[in-house]
Amino acid sequence: MLYAFISQDVPDSLEQRLAARPDHVQRLEQLRDAGRLILAGPHPAIDSEDPGPAGFTGSLVVAEFDSLEDARRWADADPYVAAGVYAHIDVKPFKRVLP
């Protein structure tokens, strides 16, 4: 089943985000390499591909897991959680319709 991970950053967390990014991306690459990652990326705080010091407000990941419980465990172990970047992560079942 697919799951959407919708995260919200704590305010002013760009420095922590940048420090934890390599470990965060490595986990996403593991999902990709296993054929389970549909998409992943951050929400810029401003209308720009590169928001600079404005930073980000959160992230969206859509990936395949065996259960909601497995997806939740994966989310809770994210390096951004440990680094204090994410205030919270909503994990919801996701039904892909298009494309």
Side-chain angles (χ1 to χ4, degrees):
M1 174 93 197
L2 294 179
Y3 295 90
F5 301 79
I6 306 155
S7 66
Q8 182 69 42
D9 287 12
V10 299
D12 302 315
S13 60
L14 182 58
E15 187 175 312
Q16 296 96 313
R17 177 183 267 273
L18 293 175
R21 187 175 188 278
D23 292 336
H24 171 78
V25 170
Q26 182 181 18
R27 293 179 80 233
L28 293 170
E29 289 171 341
Q30 291 171 347
L31 284 178
R32 179 201 61 205
D33 294 348
R36 297 170 40 204
L37 182 65
I38 304 303
L39 64 90
H43 300 288
I46 60 173
D47 190 12
S48 174
E49 285 284 323
D50 181 1
F56 301 90
T57 61
S59 302
L60 172 66
V61 174
V62 177
E64 183 178 357
F65 285 86
D66 290 334
S67 68
L68 180 58
E69 183 177 286
D70 287 346
R72 181 79 252 171
R73 267 196 300 272
W74 184 85
D76 290 343
D78 194 293
Y80 282 173
V81 171
V85 174
Y86 288 160
H88 64 85
I89 306 173
D90 291 327
V91 181
K92 300 178 178 189
F94 181 80
K95 181 180 175 183
R96 184 176 181 168
V97 176
L98 293 171

